[in-house]
Amino acid sequence: MAEDFENTLVLVFHPNLESESVANRRLAEAARGVDGVTVRDVYALYPDGDIDVAAEQSELLKADRIVWQFPIYWYSSPSLLKEWEDRVLAYGWAYGPGGDKLAGKTIMCAVTAGSTEDEYQEDGRFRATMDETLNPMRITTEYVGAQWVEPFAVYACTPEGLTEERLADAAERYAEVLRA
């Protein structure tokens, strides 16, 4: 069942999006080309880590769907995403009494990983799937009353593993997911 999203907010968490990230930069560019999608480079907005909580909450309120886009760092997210969650998803706003501002919204992760998809399997090198790796994000999503959807993942995002053809295919698939 496809949902109709009028407003999608893609929050990109990569500390060096423009200078170091080929995959996340290309995915962000693909997202910017989709009608109804707003892309925010959170590290560029807050290079000192001083997050404008009110501005972030305002952007979240406008969205039907929220996408956390980031590279997998040590089987987790970049540090600013955790700081963003701690500050923006505040008690009384995102959870707790009166904390229902994200209820009914949809949240998904769009991630890039340096390792292959085979390594993110129960019998693979990491003995965990990408879904299991992203379980804290799923739990957070459900805790704030939002709906978790299947993550979008691009694997083998290394200079050796990511050809221009694979990158173009990933960007097109991401745009298709965002068009919903």
Side-chain angles (χ1 to χ4, degrees):
M1 171 172 92
E3 296 194 36
D4 186 23
F5 299 105
E6 290 184 26
N7 298 299
T8 297
L9 176 62
V10 175
L11 297 165
V12 181
F13 292 89
H14 192 293
N16 300 299
L17 185 65
E18 294 305 319
S19 63
E20 292 182 13
S21 176
V22 174
N24 275 281
R25 184 174 60 243
R26 187 72 164 269
L27 293 179
E29 289 168 0
R32 284 184 183 101
V34 177
D35 288 342
V37 173
T38 300
V39 177
R40 291 172 60 85
D41 178 351
V42 182
Y43 272 89
L45 290 168
Y46 309 113
D48 59 0
D50 189 15
I51 298 166
D52 182 339
V53 173
E56 292 303 306
Q57 290 174 342
S58 176
E59 290 298 318
L60 289 170
L61 290 174
K62 298 174 196 173
D64 303 308
R65 175 175 49 182
I66 300 153
V67 179
W68 291 320
Q69 181 186 317
F70 59 93
I72 296 293
Y73 280 3
W74 288 104
Y75 319 102
S76 186
S77 63
S79 61
L80 190 58
L81 176 49
K82 178 63 172 112
E83 179 70 15
W84 184 95
E85 288 176 293
D86 289 348
R87 301 214 27 232
V88 175
L89 305 182
Y91 181 79
W93 191 86
Y95 69 99
D100 60 356
K101 305 302 186 281
L102 299 178
K105 294 180 185 286
T106 300
I107 298 176
M108 76 175 248
C109 288
V111 298
T112 58
S115 299
T116 66
E117 187 171 4
D118 289 344
E119 292 175 293
Y120 281 97
Q121 300 300 319
E122 288 180 14
D123 61 350
R125 178 178 171 200
F126 307 130
R127 296 189 314 242
T129 65
M130 186 58 75
D131 284 342
E132 291 169 323
T133 303
L134 295 173
N135 201 38
M137 307 304 280
R138 180 194 59 79
I139 294 168
T140 298
T141 296
E142 292 173 359
Y143 191 71
V144 300
Q147 178 186 357
W148 176 253
V149 296
E150 182 180 344
F152 179 86
V154 182
Y155 298 92
C157 294
T158 63
E160 306 81 32
L162 196 59
T163 64
E164 177 56 37
E165 182 179 354
R166 281 193 63 239
L167 189 56
D169 177 65
E172 181 53 37
R173 286 185 297 112
Y174 188 44
E176 287 175 18
V177 167
L178 294 176
R179 285 186 198 104

